[in-house]
Amino acid sequence: MLAGKSISIGEEVTLEGITMEQGTQKKNKLLGLLAEKYPTLESVYERLISLQAQLGLPKGIEHFMSDLHGEYESFFHILNNCSGVIREKVEYVFADRMTDEEKAEFCTLIYYPKEKIERMHAERKDTPAWYRENLARLLELSKLMSYKYPAAKVRGFIPKRYESVIVELLYTRPEEDTAQAQYHRRLLATIVQIDSGAGFIEAFCVLVKRLAVDHLHIVGDFFDRGSRPDAILNMILDYHDIDIEWGNHDVMWMGAAAGSEVCIAGVVRNSLRYHNTDVLERGYGISLRPLSLFSTRIYPDSNAIRASEKAITMIMLKLEGQLIARNPDFEMESRRLLDKINYNSSYVMLGDRRYELESAYFPTIDPKDPFALSEEEERIIADLKSYFTESEMLQKHVDFLYKKGSLYKCCNGNLLYHGCVPVNEDGSLRDVIFDGKAYKGRAYFDYADRRARRAYLFRAQEDLDFMWFLWCGRTSPCSGREVKTFERSLLEDESTWKEPADPYYRLLDDEDFCRSILAEFGLPESGHIINGHVPVKVKKGETPVKAHGKAIIIDGGFCQAYHKKTGISGFTLISNSRGFRLLMHQQVADVRQALKENKDIESVSETVELQTKLTTLGDTDEGKDIQEEIADLYNLLIAYQNGVIEPKA
Ligand SMILES: O=P(O)(O)OC[C@H]1O[C@](O)(COP(=O)(O)O)[C@@H](O)[C@@H]1O
Ligand SMILES: [Mn+2]
C-alpha cells in the first residue's frame, strides 16, 4: 500500500512517478540484494547457465479440474492416480514386459504405497525379491518421467530423507558400464537388506506423482451436493502448486464463513437438501440441533431433515428479500417473492401469472411482514453465525481459498474462471453498475475480486451481501443465471424452474466471441477459455470442447448426483508441451476396491489440440520470470565487471 494514500475499491493502484536518480538508486539497491545471493562471479555464471538451459525444457504439465462438489472418494483416487497419467506411463514404459495384472498391481502400489505394502505384508508376499523388483521398476519409471526436469528440480521433489540415495540411483547409467551396473545393483540390494525398502518405495511414489503433475488448477465449486468438501480441502492444503478460481458454491461458503447470514442459511439449506449434514457437524463442528428442534416442532408432519430444510429455506428467502431491498444495485427484485404470495388462497403471482403453491402451510410467515424473522429464527441464525465464524477448520479452509484463489486467472495464455463474463445479446461486454459506476469485462472481475476479499477482511454488511450476489446474481461472474430457488422449493410447475442464463453461455460456441473475451483479458488469440459450472451431458452427445477448442468447459459432473445427467464422472484437462487433451473419467472405484482388486478409474483420453511446435518453459509465464531474472543477472555481471559492485573472491 502506498504510504498516506487510501485506496477505494473501484480504483486502480498506480505507482507515483520517480526521478531518474531515484530510479538508479533503486536499481543499484536491487542489484545489491542480488549480489548477496550471488556473491561471486562463478555463482552468477552457474545460475545464468542453469536458467538459460531451463528455458529450453518442455513446459511443465498442468492439470485442470472443476466442480468437485464434495466428491471426496473419486477426487482422492484421481489425485493419487494423477488423473490416469501414471497408468499411461506404466503402459508406455513396461509395454509387454509386464502382464496387465502386474501393471495393475504396480499402479495400485504407486497410488497407495503404504496400504499396499501393509497388505503384501499381511499376505506374506513382501519378500526381498518383491521389494527389489518394485524398486527397480519405480526407478525406471522415475527416470523416464524426470527427463524434462532439471536435476536440481527433481532433487527438490524427493522426500529429504531419501534424497541422496535416490539421486544417486537416478543418475547412474547401469546400461552403459558394468562397474556402474554393479554399483546400481548394490544400492538396490542394500536398501532391501537394511529393511528400508518400504520407505524408499513410498519416497519413489511421491516422486512419480510429483513428476506427473506440475501444477493443478481447480476451476471452482468444491462445495455442496457431495458429502465431504472439507476432506477435499484438507487433502490439498499442502499441494505443491495449485490455484483456485472460485465457483458460486465456494463464494457462498466463503460468505458464510465471513458471517453473512443469508449465505449461512443458503449453505445449511444446500447441505440438508443433499443429506450432507456430516460436513457441517463433523467436518466443521457446526451444530444443527437448535434448527432441528425448532423445525420438528414447526413442521411435525415432516421427517427431521425435511423439516429443517423447509425451515431454513424460509429463513433464507426472508433474508434474501431483505438483502435485495437494501441492494438495488444487485437488480434482483424479481427474486423477492414472499410478498407476492397470497397466504389465504395459497398461490403466488409471478409477473401477471398465478401459480399454485406446493403447500399452503407457512407457519413462520407473518403475512403483514413476510420478510421479518421471528424471534426464534433470529436466535437460530445468530447461533449458526457464531458457529460458522468460530469454526477453526472452516476458517482455515476459507483462508486457503482466499490465499490460493481468485475470481479468475490468466495463466500461460489461458483464461480461467468458473462461470461467465456477462455480455449483451450481441456479445458486447455488459455494463454492471455498482454505486453509480459501470464495470465490465476484466475491470468488473477485478472489482468483484476486490470486494470478495474485502468481505472477508472487514466483514462490512454491503460486502457480505455482495458474496450472496456472487453466488446467485444474474450478472455475477460465478453464476450468470437467474437462480430460481423460490420456484424450485415452493412451486410444482417445473416450467417456472428454468433459469435464464447469460448470452455468454450460448455465444461460447463462436470463435470470434472467444477471441474477443481473451483479448479483453490481454491474452493472445492462441489462448483458451477454461470454464466449469455447466455440466456437460456427454451421454447426450454434448462436448466440452467449444468453438473448435477456443473454449473448454470441464464440468464433467464429479458429483454422484450428476452422473446420470452427464453420463461420466468428471474430466481432467491436461496441458503439456504438445497441447491439450481431455481425460474423461468413466467409473468411480472406491479405495478399498482399488486395493483389493487393483481396480482403477477408467479414463478415456481425447486430444483437444495437438501442436506441431513443442512448448518450452521459455514460452510460459514462469519462463517470463526466468527471462527477467536472467536480465537482472546480466546487469549484476556488468556491475561486477565494471567495478560498481565488488564481487567476493
Ligand atoms: O440441483 P439442485 O440442488 O436443485 O440445485 C439447483 C441449483 O443449483 C444451481 O444449478 C447452482 O449450482 P451449480 O453451480 O452447480 O450449477 C442453480 O442454478 C440451481 O438453482
Ligand atoms: Mn457452479
Side-chain angles (χ1 to χ4, degrees):
M1 163 110 49
L2 299 176
K5 194 170 188 296
S6 70
I7 299 162
S8 82
I9 208 82
E11 202 184 330
E12 293 297 330
V13 183
T14 55
L15 277 173
E16 324 273 56
I18 47 171
T19 64
M20 288 261 286
E21 195 186 315
Q22 284 169 328
T24 315
Q25 277 171 7
K26 204 165 169 204
K27 207 168 128 194
N28 285 344
K29 201 167 158 195
L30 286 177
L31 280 183
L33 287 173
L34 200 62
E36 276 174 28
K37 209 167 162 198
Y38 303 103
T40 62
L41 274 167
E42 290 70 24
S43 61
V44 178
Y45 291 142
E46 192 185 326
R47 181 71 180 159
L48 267 174
I49 292 166
S50 139
L51 291 179
Q52 284 286 13
Q54 278 183 45
L55 287 179
L57 291 169
K59 91 170 192 72
I61 304 166
E62 296 170 80
H63 281 208
F64 304 76
M65 283 182 236
S66 81
D67 296 271
L68 303 176
H69 284 299
E71 215 52 61
Y72 168 71
E73 293 237 344
S74 5
F75 184 70
F76 179 70
H77 190 74
I78 278 178
L79 209 63
N80 279 302
N81 84 351
C82 301
S83 293
V85 169
I86 304 253
R87 211 163 76 169
E88 290 177 346
K89 297 285 180 206
V90 168
E91 277 299 337
Y92 177 76
V93 176
F94 300 100
D96 45 18
R97 285 190 285 144
M98 279 166 86
T99 64
D100 286 348
E101 288 91 281
E102 282 170 339
K103 283 182 213 160
E105 177 140 28
F106 181 50
C107 284
T108 309
L109 174 69
I110 301 175
Y111 307 158
Y112 307 111
K114 211 169 167 189
E115 294 77 2
K116 183 74 189 173
I117 291 171
E118 272 166 18
R119 221 187 156 83
M120 295 301 287
H121 184 70
E123 291 168 8
R124 297 177 188 278
K125 291 186 189 153
D126 57 340
T127 60
W130 180 84
Y131 275 113
R132 276 197 304 275
E133 183 166 50
N134 282 292
L135 279 166
R137 286 171 177 163
L138 282 163
L139 177 59
E140 195 175 339
L141 187 66
S142 311
K143 274 188 180 177
L144 174 104
M145 290 174 73
S146 56
Y147 82 96
K148 62 163 70 172
Y149 293 92
K153 216 164 179 180
V154 175
R155 188 180 265 276
F157 297 164
I158 306 168
K160 275 282 151 288
R161 279 171 56 195
Y162 303 92
E163 186 187 312
S164 58
V165 178
I166 292 186
V167 168
E168 200 68 28
L169 283 165
L170 282 175
Y171 297 102
T172 46
R173 296 273 166 252
E175 59 285 356
E176 284 167 18
D177 182 290
T178 46
Q180 287 250 334
Q182 199 185 24
Y183 175 62
H184 206 256
R185 269 199 307 277
R186 276 258 167 90
L187 278 174
L188 285 179
T190 315
I191 288 172
V192 178
Q193 224 170 40
I194 61 173
D195 255 357
S196 56
F200 272 93
I201 284 186
E202 283 180 45
F204 263 117
C205 295
V206 170
L207 172 63
V208 166
K209 288 176 193 172
R210 179 64 189 79
L211 291 167
V213 189
D214 233 325
H215 189 97
L216 186 59
H217 307 274
I218 302 204
V219 194
D221 278 357
F222 284 92
F223 289 98
D224 296 328
R225 301 208 173 97
S227 59
R228 294 306 298 270
D230 56 315
I232 293 184
L233 283 159
N234 262 342
M235 232 164 83
I236 57 169
L237 284 176
D238 298 320
Y239 197 82
H240 56 266
D241 208 348
I242 187 166
D243 59 64
I244 290 159
E245 292 70 43
W246 303 321
N248 48 331
H249 290 267
D250 306 326
V251 286
M252 178 161 60
W253 279 75
M254 288 150 72
S260 153
E261 292 177 356
V262 61
C263 288
I264 289 171
V267 159
V268 171
R269 174 183 178 272
N270 274 355
S271 304
L272 288 161
R273 193 169 165 73
Y274 282 89
H275 296 248
N276 289 332
T277 46
D278 260 9
V279 58
L280 289 174
E281 304 201 300
R282 285 207 313 177
Y284 293 133
I286 291 168
S287 168
L288 297 179
R289 200 164 155 70
L291 172 67
S292 171
L293 290 174
F294 166 74
S295 314
T296 40
R297 185 157 45 75
I298 298 285
Y299 299 103
D301 295 339
S302 300
N303 70 42
I305 296 241
R306 183 74 190 114
S308 292
E309 188 194 335
K310 281 188 196 172
I312 199 71
T313 301
M314 295 319 291
I315 293 178
M316 190 204 90
L317 290 171
K318 290 179 180 188
L319 290 168
E320 186 184 32
Q322 295 175 18
L323 170 143
I324 292 168
R326 62 178 177 257
N327 291 283
D329 274 355
F330 296 174
E331 295 191 335
M332 289 172 70
E333 194 47 44
S334 69
R335 303 289 80 225
R336 201 168 182 273
L337 294 169
L338 290 179
D339 57 353
K340 312 287 184 299
I341 292 180
N342 182 318
Y343 291 95
N344 295 322
S345 315
S346 96
Y347 65 85
V348 65
M349 292 303 292
L350 298 180
D352 50 12
R353 277 197 63 181
R354 223 176 117 126
Y355 291 91
E356 294 306 310
L357 293 163
E358 209 183 66
S359 151
Y361 186 55
F362 291 101
T364 62
I365 294 269
D366 170 1
K368 285 194 284 320
D369 191 3
F371 296 106
L373 296 189
S374 69
E375 257 177 51
E376 249 183 317
E377 287 175 320
E378 294 267 12
R379 242 194 334 271
I380 285 166
I381 203 77
D383 278 348
L384 283 169
K385 183 170 166 177
S386 67
Y387 299 148
F388 271 79
T389 52
E390 287 161 23
S391 162
E392 263 180 48
M393 195 48 102
L394 177 61
Q395 296 297 323
K396 185 173 169 183
H397 288 171
V398 168
D399 269 346
F400 174 75
L401 290 175
Y402 272 103
K403 207 161 100 208
K404 297 287 179 184
S406 50
L407 210 49
Y408 74 101
K409 192 172 175 70
C410 299
C411 182
N412 298 333
N414 302 315
L415 177 56
L416 284 60
Y417 46 80
H418 181 70
C420 69
V421 181
V423 291
N424 299 308
E425 285 298 332
D426 65 357
S428 57
L429 296 172
R430 176 174 175 150
D431 274 327
V432 189
I433 296 164
F434 292 98
D435 279 331
K437 207 174 158 194
Y439 299 92
K440 60 181 175 182
R442 186 178 194 163
Y444 175 41
F445 271 69
D446 287 334
Y447 168 81
D449 185 283
R450 285 199 294 275
R451 268 194 93 164
R453 288 180 200 281
R454 205 170 68 174
Y456 194 56
L457 273 178
F458 303 114
R459 309 194 173 192
Q461 189 60 55
E462 69 262 28
D463 294 324
L464 295 179
D465 287 355
F466 189 77
M467 298 303 275
W468 180 258
F469 165 79
L470 281 180
W471 145 248
C472 63
R474 162 65 186 78
T475 49
S476 151
C478 300
S479 161
R481 295 184 196 135
E482 189 179 344
V483 173
K484 303 247 172 129
T485 311
F486 178 97
E487 292 83 340
R488 285 169 173 262
S489 312
L490 305 181
L491 305 185
E492 263 171 2
D493 183 345
E494 292 193 15
S495 70
T496 63
W497 295 11
K498 246 183 111 31
E499 302 186 329
D502 198 279
Y504 173 92
Y505 296 105
R506 169 174 57 78
L507 291 163
L508 208 56
D509 254 328
D510 179 337
E511 272 185 73
D512 286 338
F513 174 72
C514 294
R515 285 199 195 93
S516 74
I517 298 287
L518 287 166
E520 165 64 18
F521 284 77
L523 294 168
E525 283 206 355
S526 56
H528 305 79
I529 299 174
I530 298 164
N531 290 170
H533 193 48
V534 188
V536 180
K537 296 171 195 114
V538 176
K539 75 164 182 203
K540 275 197 176 165
E542 284 182 13
T543 162
V545 182
K546 310 279 170 194
H548 299 114
K550 275 285 113 210
I552 306 158
I553 296 193
I554 54 169
D555 180 359
F558 268 100
C559 66
Q560 307 259 1
Y562 274 33
H563 288 177
K564 273 212 195 98
K565 212 169 173 178
T566 61
I568 56 162
S569 32
F571 292 124
T572 304
L573 179 69
I574 299 184
S575 156
N576 60 28
S577 56
R578 286 269 170 229
F580 275 98
R581 69 190 179 108
L582 197 67
L583 286 172
M584 279 177 257
H585 309 307
Q586 302 293 310
Q587 109 212 357
V588 180
D590 85 25
V591 179
R592 284 165 301 270
Q593 205 187 2
L595 276 168
K596 214 165 109 206
E597 298 165 35
N598 300 313
K599 275 261 161 51
D600 204 344
I601 291 184
E602 299 295 326
S603 304
V604 175
S605 171
E606 185 188 303
T607 303
V608 177
E609 187 176 285
L610 196 62
Q611 292 159 200
T612 40
K613 180 186 167 283
L614 194 88
T615 310
T616 62
L617 189 63
D619 301 320
T620 65
D621 293 345
E622 192 187 341
K624 285 185 199 116
D625 294 341
I626 294 182
Q627 301 273 20
E628 275 176 29
E629 195 183 336
I630 290 177
D632 291 342
L633 285 166
Y634 271 118
N635 282 330
L636 179 62
L637 204 60
I638 294 167
Y640 280 162
Q641 283 163 349
N642 62 23
V644 175
I645 300 176
E646 181 84 14
K648 298 240 163 67

